[in-house]
């Protein structure tokens, strides 16, 4: 199983403008495109989260029915932590911590700042009651039961010393970081770095630019701790890959690869589509040329599973360039079936299914790419590329409603006119 830790969909605890990160994700075509690619490329997407603020993002981008389907079938797994970390002055050094409600501060209602540290049932109630899309009481109960059954709670308790030791060892074993920290801290331990008052606590958040009031040395320690925190989540969830944007992955690229995590699967997928002459599927989803129903049909097709299986055959440390080269090599020479004139193949296919009316261009392309692959099955990832190309070429505009679950009797979204179970879902 290809299981990815999608760190770029993690929304980390922050103190101000908490809603900004989720709002910016919903408004970002790049976010939509990455999510679509992950849904196609991985059997399971693990999203680390504390406050569950990723819930409204996923519901708004995917729609309620597809969101439910992917959560229920473990296509998307929310890995929840209830602790975060900070650097504490006066020799405290790196610490994990929890936040609770201040009894001296009254709130008119639930707030986004506390759910990261509440019990899971309270955190779910909190996020559903104050975020969009709004839900009826019945829908909130349905969502809560769904999430209680499918959210993984990470065992972060009592890991403070382990995280500190791992982080400090990484720094001490890095000549660059050692020299950088010693510029103002020669002879000091990592628990006593300069620039922080005795009673001050510095909390790290990758969404926030560096504050010049905070010393870079302490932010550097927290950055290393953050990436070790992610690796611990990945190890616990037994992921095979780690993805993220450049602001959240630096050490992961080196250390993660040594642990068997590949960071370049998504980049390779985009490049393979370019090599195959297939329009970018993620971009098509972001621009609404590809509907969420079609995206799910693609995910559950045998061609997409073959694509994921093919990706899994690569080395964990395989770069995007190496994966693309492997794909090009997999194309090889055309097989004997590729050398037969397509007109003859279409005739054979349509005769076999008893077609009487003239074959339209769309039906012919469907026959080429689906029926022939059923007669002559293969594991080549190019079958998925052909499949995707047909769906995009037959979908100029999106106007199809999202259907609940995967009704295998509904018309296939590729436009063939067949039921999903007889076409892409076969």
């Amino acid at each position: 199983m290809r299981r990815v830790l999608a760190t770029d969909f993690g929304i980390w605890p922050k103190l101000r403008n908490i809603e900004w990160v989720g709002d910016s994700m919903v408004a970002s075509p790049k976010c939509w495109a990455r999510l679509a690619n992950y849904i196609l490329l991985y059997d399971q997407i693990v999203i680390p989260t504390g406050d569950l603020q990723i819930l409204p993002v996923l519901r708004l981008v995917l729609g309620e029915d597809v969101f439910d389907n992917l959560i229920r079938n473990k296509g998307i797994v929310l890995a929840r932590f209830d602790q975060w970390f900070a650097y504490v002055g006066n020799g405290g050094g790196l610490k994990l911590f929890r936040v609770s409600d201040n009894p001296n501060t009254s709130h008119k209602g639930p707030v986004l700042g506390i759910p990261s540290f509440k019990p899971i049932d309270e955190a779910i109630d909190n996020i559903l009651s104050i975020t969009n899309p709004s839900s009826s009481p019945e829908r909130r109960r349905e969502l809560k039961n769904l999430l209680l059954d499918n959210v993984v709670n990470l065992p972060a308790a009592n890991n403070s010393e382990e995280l500190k030791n791992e982080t400090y060892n990484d720094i001490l074993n890095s000549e660059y970081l050692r020299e950088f920290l010693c510029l103002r801290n020669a002879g000091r331990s990592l628990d006593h770095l300069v620039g922080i008052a005795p009673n001050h606590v510095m909390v790290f958040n990758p969404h926030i630019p560096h504050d010049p009031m905070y010393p870079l040395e302490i932010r550097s320690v927290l950055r290393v701790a953050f990436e070790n925190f992610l690796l611990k989540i990945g190890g616990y969830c037994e992921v095979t890959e780690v993805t993220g944007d450049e602001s959240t992955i630096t050490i992961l690229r080196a250390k993660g690869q040594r642990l068997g995590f590949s960071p370049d699967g998504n980049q390779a997928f985009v490049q393979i589509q370019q090599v195959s002459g297939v329009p970018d599927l993620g971009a098509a989803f972001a621009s609404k040329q590809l509907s969420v129903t079609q995206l799910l049909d693609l995910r559950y097709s045998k061609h997409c599973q073959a694509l994921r299986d093919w990706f899994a055959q690569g080395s964990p440390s395989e770069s995007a360039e190496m994966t693309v080269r492997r794909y090009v090599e997999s194309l090889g020479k055309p097989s004997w079936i590729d050398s037969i004139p397509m007109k003859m193949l279409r005739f054979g296919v349509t005769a076999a299914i008893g077609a009487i009316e003239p074959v339209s261009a769309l039906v012919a392309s469907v026959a080429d790419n689906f029926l022939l692959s059923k007669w002559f099955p293969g594991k080549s990832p190019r079958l998925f590329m052909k499949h995707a190309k047909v769906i995009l070429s037959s979908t100029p505009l999106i106007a199809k409603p999202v259907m609940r679950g995967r009704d295998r009797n509904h018309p296939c979204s590729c436009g063939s006119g067949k039921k999903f179970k007889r076409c892409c879902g076969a």
Side-chain angles (χ1 to χ4, degrees):
M1 173 181 283
R2 300 195 73 220
R3 183 181 290 118
V4 63
L5 181 67
T7 69
D8 44 348
F9 282 89
I11 298 180
W12 317 104
K14 62 195 298 278
L15 302 178
R16 291 176 293 179
N17 302 319
I18 298 169
E19 72 288 344
W20 175 83
V21 181
D23 291 346
S24 64
M25 282 185 172
V26 174
S28 168
K30 290 183 179 180
C31 174
W32 286 55
R34 286 200 308 272
L35 180 60
N37 284 342
Y38 294 171
I39 287 171
L40 296 175
L41 194 54
Y42 301 103
D43 297 298
Q44 194 170 84
I45 305 164
V46 179
I47 300 178
T49 181
D51 59 12
L52 301 177
Q53 197 185 154
I54 194 61
L55 284 179
V57 176
L58 295 174
R59 292 173 64 199
L60 289 166
V61 172
L62 297 173
E64 297 290 81
D65 296 326
V66 172
F67 169 81
D68 285 9
N69 178 276
L70 289 172
I71 294 290
R72 184 177 293 111
N73 292 313
K74 304 294 193 297
I76 293 178
V77 171
L78 302 182
R80 186 180 182 253
F81 51 85
D82 61 0
Q83 295 184 53
W84 197 233
F85 52 90
Y87 191 91
V88 182
N90 200 30
L94 189 65
K95 297 286 186 182
L96 283 170
F97 68 90
R98 281 191 175 95
V99 174
S100 59
D101 285 306
N102 185 342
N104 298 319
T105 302
S106 61
H107 301 296
K108 294 182 179 178
V111 295
L112 276 177
I114 304 298
S116 297
F117 310 96
K118 284 182 173 289
I120 181 64
D121 57 335
E122 294 181 39
I124 292 172
D125 285 335
N126 193 104
I127 202 72
L128 293 179
S129 64
I130 60 176
T131 59
N132 290 322
S134 58
S135 304
S136 66
E138 294 77 14
R139 175 59 179 157
R140 285 203 295 270
R141 283 194 294 270
E142 180 184 21
L143 277 168
K144 183 175 181 178
N145 290 332
L146 175 68
L147 293 167
L148 286 174
D149 289 339
N150 293 290
V151 172
V152 174
N153 283 292
L154 299 172
N158 304 319
N159 279 340
S160 183
E161 286 303 313
E162 185 180 341
L163 179 67
K164 175 191 280 192
N165 293 337
E166 180 81 4
T167 299
Y168 286 7
N169 284 335
D170 284 340
I171 293 170
L172 295 173
N173 289 326
S174 166
E175 183 177 352
Y176 169 77
L177 286 174
R178 238 182 15 252
E179 291 180 357
F180 170 69
L181 291 173
C182 280
L183 290 177
R184 296 196 305 163
N185 292 278
R188 289 175 173 270
S189 76
L190 291 176
D191 281 339
H192 290 84
L193 297 178
V194 300
I196 185 168
N199 297 319
H200 191 72
V201 175
M202 181 175 172
V203 179
F204 175 80
N205 187 291
H207 303 305
I208 302 173
H210 172 64
D211 187 334
M213 293 181 59
Y214 290 148
L216 280 171
E217 297 97 325
I218 295 179
R219 183 172 175 85
S220 297
V221 171
L222 290 170
R223 161 65 71 177
V224 178
F226 171 67
E227 303 205 12
N228 278 319
F229 186 78
L230 296 182
L231 287 171
K232 285 186 177 299
I233 295 174
Y236 179 77
C237 296
E238 298 182 339
V239 304
T240 56
E241 299 188 34
V242 179
T243 65
D245 53 35
E246 291 304 320
S247 67
T248 57
I249 288 189
T250 52
I251 295 172
L252 287 179
R253 288 193 172 275
K255 188 172 182 178
Q257 283 188 348
R258 291 202 304 273
L259 295 173
F261 300 156
S262 170
D264 291 333
N266 180 54
Q267 182 183 350
F269 183 48
V270 172
Q271 292 180 14
I272 285 174
Q273 292 175 76
Q274 295 172 348
V275 168
S276 304
V278 177
D280 189 311
L281 292 167
F285 178 68
S287 64
K288 298 182 173 57
Q289 183 187 355
L290 184 71
S291 74
V292 70
T293 304
Q294 290 172 309
L295 180 68
L296 208 61
D297 280 354
L298 274 171
R299 172 182 170 80
Y300 288 141
S301 71
K302 67 176 184 179
H303 299 318
C304 196
Q305 185 59 60
L307 175 77
R308 293 192 289 270
D309 292 343
W310 177 85
F311 262 95
Q313 294 170 8
S315 165
S317 60
E318 189 174 73
S319 67
E321 290 71 21
M322 293 167 65
T323 304
V324 174
R325 190 181 306 119
R326 182 162 61 92
Y327 172 74
V328 173
E329 291 172 353
S330 78
L331 300 179
K333 296 180 179 180
S335 65
W336 66 270
I337 192 169
D338 291 328
S339 65
I340 298 177
M342 195 55 64
K343 187 180 293 185
M344 293 177 60
L345 287 175
R346 287 176 186 156
F347 173 80
V349 170
T350 54
I353 62 176
I356 299 175
E357 298 296 325
V359 181
S360 68
L362 175 60
V363 173
S365 65
V366 171
D368 295 344
N369 294 304
F370 300 123
L371 297 179
L372 292 179
S373 67
K374 291 177 183 177
W375 286 358
F376 306 97
K379 292 295 184 182
S380 171
R382 65 179 174 168
L383 291 176
F384 171 78
M385 297 303 164
K386 288 182 178 182
H387 181 166
K389 203 168 187 177
V390 168
I391 288 182
L392 287 177
S393 66
S394 65
T395 314
L397 292 173
I398 297 301
K400 296 186 178 182
V402 175
M403 303 181 70
R404 176 165 290 280
R406 290 311 316 125
D407 181 357
R408 292 177 55 78
N409 289 307
H410 82 265
C412 188
S413 58
C414 73
S416 67
K418 296 179 177 292
K419 293 181 179 180
F420 175 73
K421 66 182 181 182
R422 302 293 184 193
C423 190
C424 302

